[in-house]
Amino acid sequence: MEHEIKTLTARLLAHRVVPRADALARKALLDDIFRAELDKSLAAVGLRLVENPYAEHIAAALLPEMTEPVFGSGDAWLNNNLGLPRDGVALLVILWALIILPKRERQIARVEAGKENQSDMFGAQKPLETGETVSTGISEDALYADFGKALGGRTRFSANLGRLVNLGFIVRRNRWLDEGPMLDLMIDYAQLAPRIIEGALADVLLRREGRDMLVDKRVDDEIEEEGADDGMASAGPLFDLPPDAAADGEAR
């Protein structure tokens, strides 16, 4: 077991994310004894395991008590440890709002539909839907039209997209932006979602909802035939939002 824990810990540090379907990742999620030893190994260097039943990967993040020693406080506070400028952090939060929030709504809808349609208490349960079946991405051109000027113009916008691609937050193909392995893990859904849904990006989400009507209709049709295990996201961030940072779109 010790060798497996060292291997998984090293992989989390070297690769930043490990697929949830990986043998060691599955062991960490299903074996309580292995998980306890892994948590102890990560805690020894100020880290914890980040996993989310709605995400396809696991990762490592800072322990809450390590936030101030790593990011500082007051005038010395850093908004992230990834080298992202302020407009890059703002772009990351916008992408999270436009990709992860609609995805989560679809996943939760399928969970609820599965509960309603389950006639056998001991019937087989299906895994949560992830990937392209629930995560639809966004057009790069549409994103620039909505936010490009506010985020520094074409050059800054493209440079920050490139940074987010390199960091694993998004995948960029033919001017289409899809969810990367880090996007659904490294921002705390429970903390940020209410601020966005009820705050500055509420109008933007409503406009996006109109663009996605056809996709949502297709997903709704599929829900009647599909069920899923219950589970709520509980992943913590590698970067965090301080109480006064939501309006600025800052994350650490």
Side-chain angles (χ1 to χ4, degrees), residues 44 52 56 72 75 81 105 146 148 152 154 198 207 238 247:
N52 177 338
E56 294 183 278
D75 293 340
N81 64 342
E105 290 175 359
D146 285 339
R154 175 63 69 180
E198 301 166 8
R207 291 201 301 270
L238 174 64

Side-chain angles (χ1 to χ4, degrees), residues 4 11 16 18 23 25 41 44 48 50 63 93 95 98 102 109 115 133 153 155 162-163 167 178 203 207 238 243 251:
E4 290 179 322
R11 289 175 62 196
R16 296 183 296 174
V18 174
S41 174
R48 61 191 172 92
V50 174
L63 286 168
V93 173
L95 284 164
L98 295 178
K115 289 180 181 178
T133 59
T155 301
R163 292 186 179 100
L167 292 169
D178 286 312
D203 292 340
R207 291 201 301 270
L238 174 64

Side-chain angles (χ1 to χ4, degrees), residues 25-42:
R26 288 177 60 83
K27 188 169 184 178
L29 297 173
L30 299 175
D31 186 327
D32 291 341
I33 296 176
F34 185 86
R35 175 62 179 270
E37 292 300 318
L38 177 64
D39 287 343
K40 187 185 300 184
S41 174
L42 291 171

